[in-house]
Amino acid sequence: MERTFAMIKPEGVERGLIGAIISRIELKGYRIVALKMLRITPELAARHYAEHQGKPFYQELISHITSGPVVAMVLEGPGVIAGLRQMMGATNPKDAAPGTIRGDYALEVGKNVIHGSDSPASAAREIALFFTPGELGEEQAG
Ligand code: DAT
Ligand code: MG
């Protein structure tokens, strides 16, 4: 079954949107495989956002994602990678359709409240960055 990595960003936690966002994910029918609140270190932020190194918004992106606790999760379901991206809406909330998470809860691209993996390769990489096999219930017996 397909899995993806999702994260409620610091402004989502700060604004009290954890319940609303998780509720949408659960009502859609995706299974929450693992979930935790953590403070992202600059090292983890740099690895997570490696593809954006050198872009004009990179420093702001790193300082923002490390500015407060986030809620990280692994979601499972058929087509969940693309499905969550559809539920999130466009990267820039001003382009995100009403009914999407970013369309309904955000105004600025730098504070777009949720991250979701953009491909199977990103999902596998990001899940492994944030969760141990034990946290995913994948420890070997014995
Ligand atoms: P997404 O989060 O939709 O996958 P992305 O991977 O292109 O988008 O960018 C990662 C994050 O970086 C995005 O959620 C918000 C920030 N970002 C992207 N483009 C930006 C821009 N032009 N100005 C400021 N922040 C930006
Ligand atoms: Mg992305």
Side-chain angles (χ1 to χ4, degrees):
M1 182 67 76
E2 190 169 293
R3 288 183 174 184
T4 197
F5 174 74
M7 176 167 63
I8 302 173
K9 297 183 181 184
E11 69 279 15
V13 173
E14 171 77 23
R15 290 173 53 204
L17 296 174
I18 297 172
I21 292 172
I22 289 177
S23 180
R24 286 181 180 225
I25 290 167
E26 289 190 319
L27 288 169
K28 172 69 177 173
Y30 296 135
R31 186 170 83 87
I32 299 174
V33 175
L35 181 150
K36 62 182 165 187
M37 182 179 277
L38 73 153
R39 185 79 184 248
I40 296 185
T41 63
E43 293 73 25
L44 178 57
R47 294 180 70 187
H48 176 67
Y49 280 129
E51 66 174 304
H52 297 301
Q53 259 171 46
K55 293 183 184 173
F57 57 86
Y58 178 74
Q59 288 307 333
E60 187 187 318
L61 181 61
I62 298 300
S63 65
H64 167 63
I65 206 69
T66 58
S67 67
V70 302
V71 172
M73 35 194 156
V74 176
L75 308 177
E76 186 176 87
V80 67
I81 298 170
L84 179 70
R85 294 287 301 196
Q86 283 189 327
M87 290 179 70
M88 287 164 52
T91 299
N92 192 328
K94 81 174 165 53
D95 303 321
T100 65
I101 293 168
R102 287 164 168 174
D104 288 350
Y105 301 141
L107 289 169
E108 298 171 46
V109 66
K111 294 186 177 174
N112 59 10
V113 305
I114 185 168
H115 168 86
S117 307
D118 64 6
S119 67
S122 298
R125 191 183 73 84
E126 293 170 1
I127 289 168
L129 264 183
F130 281 83
F131 291 93
T132 65
E135 289 172 327
L136 297 169
E138 291 167 358
E139 272 172 340
Q140 297 296 309

